[in-house]
Amino acid sequence: MTDGHSAPPADAPAPAAAADCAAAPVPVESRSHATPHQAATNHEKEHDSIGRVTPRPTFLEHLATSRDSQFQFDRRDSSELDRYFHGPRNMEKHSKWPIMMRMHGSVMPKMIMPLLSVAIWSTAVTVFSKKVHNLGINNILLTVLGFVVGLALSFRSSTAYERWADGRKYWAQLIQTSRNLSRTIWINTSEREGEAGKEDILRKLSAMNLILAFAVALKHKLRFEPDIAYEDLAGLAGHLDTFARDAHDRLVVNPPPKSIWKSAGEYLGVSFAESNPRKYVKRSKKPLGHLPLEILNHISAYIDSVVANGTMASTLHQGQAITMMSTLNEVLTGTERVLDTPLPTAYSIAIAQISWIYILVLPFQLYTALEWITIPASIVAAYIILGLATIGSEIENPFGQDVNDLPLDTYCRQIAVEMDVMTAAPRPTVEDFMSRAENLVLYPLSQLGYPDWKERTVEDIRGALRTKVVINPSTSASDTSTIMENICPKSTGSV
């Protein structure tokens, strides 16, 4: 087992919690013919093939079916080799290859077709100049055009990296705010006695799940994935009454497999093979709403409820919760700004044209001095120029699933793991963890615990605190005991 836990015996009975959480079996006919809206609203019963009465599937059962098929589709269509050359980025992997020899994250696959075109063009120019007529020109254009191309590529790279860095800053802010808001909910929101306390715990867990759901929904929205039935989202927000739930479309979650030609074209960066990422948003037959914003509305409703029932009594914590809700909204708006404000089209077209003009004119300028060496020299120059332009184009949208995009899946898993760590133990009680004997309050000066020092006088404690300043790290244990005996006689032999 990769998680470090031993597997239960094969004949061991299933845990009760797992049995309670398992969805009831649903007829295949009802799953395939009922629309998501019908599955959510129609509670009529229908007969199966042998006459038994079975309920129509609920919306969450319908989502479970979609998640299962989506998981199978992802597992089938995403091989280790494909992830290596395409993405998404796996931050846990480490390569010992030199950087110049790595392919993971390289733009080399997208450079194959442009470099092949440059090779053909430079070969044609060189052969014609060698066999028919010399087409060489003065290389003064290398200096003039090279300066312009350098400025254009510098502008392209700086603007693209600025967008990539802004996206990382917003997601770092999201992680920080999620931690703070989760701690405010779990620690600073009290729990009542009896059944009301049980309800408080479940509501706190539900609210923290909504914080995670906000991050996951934002990830899908930035990737133009408008549905709610994704494997990592349905269980967190499928119970909310949202527009995305009403507009659920199984084809969006499980698109048909791509043809080999389309897959190869996308892999090689052929523009004609690339699909519009917004197509599922445009083709939706129902309003999609704004799922992250709707989730924020539900979190706000929870904050209002704990303020009303008195479990979040401190006005300081109330203000912090409202402020952190505003911060989440700022993150939402900021990431949308990064996504929807690309480099102006005029700049993109001009930079691409300037780069290609320089590359196409380059063989004419190199032939006089290099002759046959013009061919490899043109290919190398094209790789440098087009490589920088391609990198700028790839990182311009930092929220995709390419290797060089931000690992949003990793960020969401990080939030989920930290919430699990936070909720693994009840709210700490100061009287409990402060008064333990293992609490060495004057460590490393003294090995005595909190209960022992509690029996001392205030003068002893203050004298020991002054001793911590006097004693150097190099002072021996015997000297430390002598000093402590002079200041705190009771601690002799127990330091």
Side-chain angles (χ1 to χ4, degrees):
M1 297 288 289
T2 57
D3 57 357
H5 299 284
S6 59
D11 56 351
D20 295 338
C21 297
V26 181
V28 176
E29 293 81 6
S30 63
R31 288 180 178 177
S32 59
H33 295 292
T35 64
H37 182 70
Q38 291 172 339
T41 58
N42 194 339
H43 300 286
E44 296 178 0
K45 296 182 179 181
E46 57 183 14
H47 297 271
D48 60 10
S49 57
I50 59 176
R52 293 178 299 185
V53 178
T54 56
R56 284 186 179 274
T58 64
F59 179 76
L60 288 179
E61 290 169 345
H62 185 80
L63 293 185
T65 307
S66 300
R67 293 200 307 275
D68 292 342
S69 58
Q70 187 234 359
F71 175 73
Q72 295 172 1
F73 177 84
D74 289 344
R75 183 174 57 185
R76 181 186 71 248
D77 189 58
S78 180
S79 64
E80 191 68 26
L81 185 63
D82 179 70
R83 287 194 297 270
Y84 181 83
F85 285 102
H86 184 263
R89 179 184 179 189
N90 187 352
M91 299 184 68
E92 298 177 357
K93 289 292 184 69
H94 173 70
S95 176
K96 295 184 179 180
W97 285 92
I99 294 179
M100 64 172 295
M101 299 180 64
R102 296 180 188 176
M103 289 296 296
H104 188 57
S106 174
V107 294
M108 178 60 74
K110 295 184 178 180
M111 299 290 295
I112 294 177
M113 297 300 294
L115 293 181
L116 181 61
S117 302
V118 172
I120 295 174
W121 170 254
S122 59
T123 301
V125 173
T126 303
V127 171
F128 188 86
S129 299
K130 193 73 174 180
K131 303 296 184 181
V132 181
H133 178 70
N134 188 351
L135 298 177
I137 60 177
N138 195 307
N139 58 9
I140 189 63
L141 286 176
L142 281 173
T143 304
V144 177
L145 295 181
F147 178 74
V148 177
V149 171
L151 289 178
L153 293 179
S154 176
F155 175 73
R156 175 69 169 176
S157 300
S158 61
T159 54
Y161 180 76
E162 182 181 359
R163 291 164 51 82
W164 190 91
D166 285 345
R168 181 63 186 97
K169 291 177 183 177
Y170 283 121
W171 272 89
Q173 189 176 12
L174 172 59
I175 294 174
Q176 178 184 2
T177 307
S178 299
R179 292 169 177 169
N180 292 335
L181 184 56
S182 299
R183 185 175 63 251
T184 300
I185 292 175
W186 187 251
I187 303 298
N188 302 125
T189 303
S190 60
E191 300 164 5
R192 294 167 291 184
E193 298 294 335
E195 290 297 322
K198 183 194 304 182
E199 183 178 357
D200 290 336
I201 295 176
L202 295 177
R203 288 191 174 186
K204 288 163 69 173
L205 292 173
S206 300
M208 296 176 68
N209 285 339
L210 290 181
I211 298 174
L212 176 60
F214 172 82
V216 177
L218 179 59
K219 176 193 70 174
H220 287 292
K221 188 178 189 305
L222 296 175
R223 292 176 175 176
F224 306 106
E225 298 171 345
D227 210 283
I228 199 175
Y230 300 104
E231 182 184 7
D232 55 352
L233 182 59
L236 298 172
H239 62 287
L240 304 181
D241 185 13
T242 59
F243 284 98
R245 165 176 166 160
D246 295 335
H248 166 63
D249 185 357
R250 185 173 298 182
L251 291 179
V252 176
V253 182
N254 300 319
K258 301 176 183 177
S259 64
I260 186 173
W261 299 108
K262 183 174 179 60
S263 299
E266 291 181 350
Y267 179 73
L268 296 175
V270 179
S271 60
F272 297 102
E274 295 178 353
S275 301
N276 183 4
R278 303 174 186 262
K279 63 181 180 180
Y280 293 118
V281 178
K282 294 181 177 180
R283 294 176 182 176
S284 177
K285 298 179 181 179
K286 296 181 179 180
L288 298 172
H290 196 299
L291 185 56
L293 189 61
E294 294 175 84
I295 293 175
L296 281 183
N297 293 340
H298 288 81
I299 301 177
S300 297
Y302 168 78
I303 298 298
D304 289 342
S305 68
V306 294
V307 172
N309 63 23
T311 53
M312 185 182 286
S314 173
T315 55
L316 175 62
H317 296 148
Q318 297 172 9
Q320 289 177 342
I322 298 301
T323 301
M324 285 182 283
M325 294 292 299
S326 300
T327 303
L328 292 178
N329 193 34
E330 291 176 4
V331 170
L332 173 60
T333 305
T335 52
E336 289 177 338
R337 176 185 63 81
V338 173
L339 181 67
D340 297 331
T341 314
L343 187 68
T345 306
Y347 274 113
S348 299
I349 295 175
I351 292 173
Q353 291 175 342
I354 292 172
S355 301
W356 273 104
I357 289 174
Y358 181 81
I359 292 172
L360 295 178
V361 175
L362 192 59
F364 298 99
Q365 304 176 70
L366 298 179
Y367 175 76
T368 303
L370 302 180
E371 294 188 352
W372 289 109
I373 307 299
T374 299
I375 300 174
S378 299
I379 296 175
V380 171
Y383 174 77
I384 296 174
I385 296 172
L386 296 180
L388 293 176
T390 304
I391 292 173
S393 176
E394 182 168 330
I395 68 175
E396 188 178 24
N397 176 13
F399 305 124
Q401 302 191 51
D402 293 331
V403 178
N404 293 300
D405 291 329
L406 295 174
L408 303 186
D409 297 309
T410 301
Y411 299 156
C412 292
R413 285 196 299 270
Q414 177 183 349
I415 296 174
V417 170
E418 291 173 351
M419 288 185 177
D420 290 341
V421 172
M422 191 177 301
T423 58
R427 183 174 64 167
T429 303
V430 177
E431 291 76 8
D432 179 36
F433 69 85
M434 285 289 187
S435 59
R436 294 175 182 174
E438 295 83 359
N439 180 17
L440 308 180
V441 291
L442 289 176
Y443 181 86
L445 176 66
S446 172
Q447 300 296 324
L448 299 179
Y450 184 96
D452 295 315
W453 281 102
K454 188 177 179 181
E455 301 297 328
R456 307 295 179 87
T457 64
V458 176
E459 289 75 13
D460 289 344
I461 297 174
R462 295 195 182 279
L465 292 175
R466 179 176 293 274
T467 305
K468 288 185 67 177
V469 180
V470 176
I471 296 179
N472 296 322
S474 59
T475 305
S476 63
S478 59
D479 294 337
T480 302
S481 300
T482 302
I483 296 174
M484 289 296 297
E485 181 180 0
N486 294 331
I487 299 178
C488 307
K490 289 185 178 181
S491 64
T492 304
S494 302
V495 179

